[in-house]
Amino acid sequence: MQKILVANRGEIALRIMRTIRRMGIKSVAVYSEADRHARHVLFADEAVCLGPAPSNQSYLNGDKIIAFAKELGVDGIHPGYGFLSENADFAQKVEDAGITFIGPGPEAMRIMGSKLAAKDCVKAYDIPMVPGIQEAITDVQLAKKIAGQVGYPILIKASAGGGGKGMRIVDKEEELEEQMERAISEATSSFGDGSVFIEKYVTSPRHVEIQVLADKFGNTVHLFERECSVQRRHQKVVEESPSSILTPELRKKMGAAAVMVAKSCNYTSTGTVEFLMDDKLNFYFLEMNTRLQVEHPVTEMITGIDLVEEQIKIARGEQLGFTQDDLKINGHALELRVYAEDPLNNFLPSIGTLEKYVRPQGEGVRVDDGYEEGMAIPIYYDPMIAKLATFGRNRTEAIANMLQAIKDYKIEGLSTTLPFGTFVFEHEAFVSGKFDTHFVKNYYTPEKIKEKQKNNAEIAALVALKHYLDSQEILKPVDNKSTSWKRRLAH
Amino acid sequence: MSDEKKSFKVKSNEFVFAFDKAELAALDIFQKSPTWYNLIKDHKSINATIVDANIAEKMVTVEVDGESYTVNIKDELDQMLEKMGFGASSTRHVKEIKAPMPGLVLQVSVKEGQEVKEGERILILEAMKMENSITLHTNATIKKIRVINGQAVEKGQVLVELE
């Protein structure tokens, strides 16, 4: 492979290109008119403009991307996450054009891309699943009937969904119609497929996922778990590896289940098998994500394996260079997603310009980002500014490093999830490891951050006043001197 | 002592504090370097950094715990001047719905002149690929619709006016 096109933007495009360059391969960036100045465009060896800012006219235009790839003699396309990364038709078209798709085969993507087909596929392997109805629904009356049988609260999920889009919790029947309408509409606009299904909403679940890696020779390994229970709007904000609740036995059991899920669809490349875990540590298969995950850095930090490098090696037909027994967990890693959102205002998007942007540095700190000071966060795409990850020899050290890194991360001009991160990593429930996906609902109120900010504001006010008064004092001796000078002149 | 009688009124970002000279004198604070202060308050050792200082404008930017605070100082004279200039605040009663975030208006669900009940949807605003229903918190009549489907709006932009 001589030249790889990265069909993505932002931090992930940049992160993939860094590995591509390290492997001695040329990179091609794609960009929308809103991203002409983006870092991934500046970093790449070649770059092509796909069109106007909205994703459906740029980053989702697969045919245009393939046409450019052919024109530029590209021999591999890496889709990143989001956009076209889980679009089996796109993967098929890439292969048909004689270009290697750096990811799983279209068939595995097709199966796992549909949550319903996925459940059907793994059924034969005795993997536990969440109670619910395994069929697509558009009829509201039918939905009401099924929800009544399963029992509220229920979860409406887009079959083609991911990242919380097209997903709605419904507590009572009256809300079902409106919520379903929104979920279908969101699923249609985000994934081009409006089918949704209904599941029992498991209360107090933890979200634990297993990273798998499979080559084209039938070797499949898992790279342990990631705990992603701290979420807002069903989207992860904090991830870590290893999980503080998994025993070595449970880890082995879940790892084996994940490997089995991957094998059930002849999976290749990197993939993530997501499980829900209840308070009794029972785990249920949720879905498989057929892509590189946003939170992959924590796995890289504890295994020392570059997952993008592995993806490229697998895509070009190499065998895995290690077996399951070679893989060991070393230390502990945490990740905080830094979103342009206001944690004091219901996590609503806070768009603006990065008036100040200084990254934290130091040992055990990793920042995956795609922005520089002075850049604006476009409204057209995900509001993620960066992923801040820290490593420690153990969980305590990783948390301490994270708290320091958050302090050292200077972002001004818009609100971010950084203060929320401090709240999480200082919280007793997180520190003790006793938390679930309701962490935000159970413990978080903006007042707690507000109170801390008020205390700091008071300190700042006192220091400023002291500094101001002292600075004024300095001016006085100058006056005295001039007076005595005048006095001497008079003599 | 009430806050009005204190010597200094200090605004630090959106928070306002009042201090008098005795409070300041009682502080356990020392200047380690021209921009580095250490303060011991409630037995906590706190470091603060002066990021920017405009003494003439009485404006100092201080960093505490990784966050930056812009501090405006008003002494007794400033406070007196402020009081004299006060009392001219104008209050206009305009009922309008503003965009809570920047985004794209996906669908306006109401018409001008329409009576809308509390909880009813006014429009759908899409931001970051999430669809948000903007609903009404009281019963009202739509006076004027200021946006159209597909329009990009800024945070705080007026979407509809109410009667």
Side-chain angles (χ1 to χ4, degrees), chain A residues 340-372:
Chain A
E341 289 179 359
D342 188 358
L344 299 179
N345 186 14
N346 215 9
F347 294 99
L348 285 180
S350 168
I351 315 304
T353 301
L354 295 165
E355 279 157 25
K356 185 169 180 184
Y357 187 76
V358 182
R359 291 173 201 96
Q361 288 174 327
E363 210 183 321
V365 178
R366 169 175 167 173
V367 180
D368 288 39
D369 66 356
Y371 291 99
E372 292 283 6

Side-chain angles (χ1 to χ4, degrees), chain A residues 387-398:
Chain A
K387 301 183 307 207
L388 172 59
T390 58
F391 178 81
R393 281 171 300 177
N394 51 51
R395 194 166 184 266
T396 309
E397 197 176 280

Side-chain angles (χ1 to χ4, degrees), chain A residues 45 71 91 101 167 169 240:
Chain A
D45 295 303
E71 192 186 317
F101 181 80
M167 195 195 273
I169 302 176
E240 67 178 314

Side-chain angles (χ1 to χ4, degrees), chain A residues 285-349:
Chain A
F285 171 66
L286 205 57
E287 60 174 311
M288 180 169 190
N289 294 317
T290 58
R291 58 162 195 265
L292 185 68
Q293 295 280 101
V294 174
E295 60 274 22
H296 74 276
V298 291
T299 299
E300 295 186 328
M301 288 170 108
I302 60 143
T303 59
I305 288 167
D306 180 333
L307 288 170
V308 174
E309 185 179 337
E310 293 305 320
Q311 284 186 301
I312 293 169
K313 284 182 180 169
I314 291 166
R316 64 187 185 195
E318 290 177 34
Q319 258 184 295
L320 284 181
F322 42 81
T323 64
Q324 189 67 56
D325 290 339
D326 296 329
L327 294 164
K328 297 275 178 303
I329 295 176
N330 167 38
H332 199 100
L334 298 169
E335 181 185 272
L336 169 65
R337 297 192 192 185
V338 184
Y339 283 105
E341 289 179 359
D342 188 358
L344 299 179
N345 186 14
N346 215 9
F347 294 99
L348 285 180

Side-chain angles (χ1 to χ4, degrees), chain A residues 229-243:
Chain A
S229 295
V230 180
Q231 310 184 347
R232 53 101 192 73
R233 285 202 299 264
H234 309 293
Q235 279 183 318
K236 304 158 188 168
V237 214
V238 169
E239 297 102 345
E240 67 178 314
S241 188
S243 163

Side-chain angles (χ1 to χ4, degrees), chain A residues 1 8 20 23 35 74 152 225 230 276 299 307 355 363 388 398 426 489:
Chain A
M1 228 177 254
N8 217 297
I20 290 174
M23 293 173 80
D35 278 340
V74 163
Y152 289 89
E225 76 278 10
V230 180
L276 267 191
T299 299
L307 288 170
E355 279 157 25
E363 210 183 321
L388 172 59
E426 281 180 346
L489 273 181

